[in-house]
Amino acid sequence: FRRVLFRSDLYGTRFSMGAEGDVYLTGRVALEHLTAEEIDRIIGVIYEITDRWFQAAVRIAYARRA
């Protein structure tokens, strides 16, 4: 998971790890830049990242438990 935690090319989003090892993807935007278009853009980025990384993350997570 280190690979996704240190990604820096994720516009308005970031990965983080919870206390129990869960990985979270969150969107962030400064209040002064909060517009419908900006929210739409960040949701699009989150969708794209989830689509790209989810299956690989599931394979890694379940491979560790086997």
Side-chain angles (χ1 to χ4, degrees):
F1 294 111
R2 185 171 292 166
R3 183 176 178 184
V4 296
L5 290 175
F6 291 106
R7 296 280 313 233
S8 62
D9 62 338
L10 309 172
Y11 178 83
T13 61
R14 64 180 283 172
F15 284 100
S16 59
M17 186 169 282
E20 295 185 13
D22 298 326
V23 176
Y24 297 93
L25 174 62
T26 56
R28 292 186 173 202
V29 62
L31 187 56
E32 60 267 14
H33 299 291
L34 187 60
T35 64
E37 293 81 19
E38 192 66 12
I39 292 172
D40 186 57
R41 183 175 180 187
I42 291 175
I43 290 173
V45 169
I46 290 172
Y47 177 82
E48 179 184 344
I49 293 166
T50 302
D51 192 47
R52 185 182 329 151
W53 287 95
F54 182 75
Q55 290 301 323
V58 169
R59 281 193 298 272
I60 291 168
Y62 283 103
R64 293 177 135 188
R65 296 179 186 182

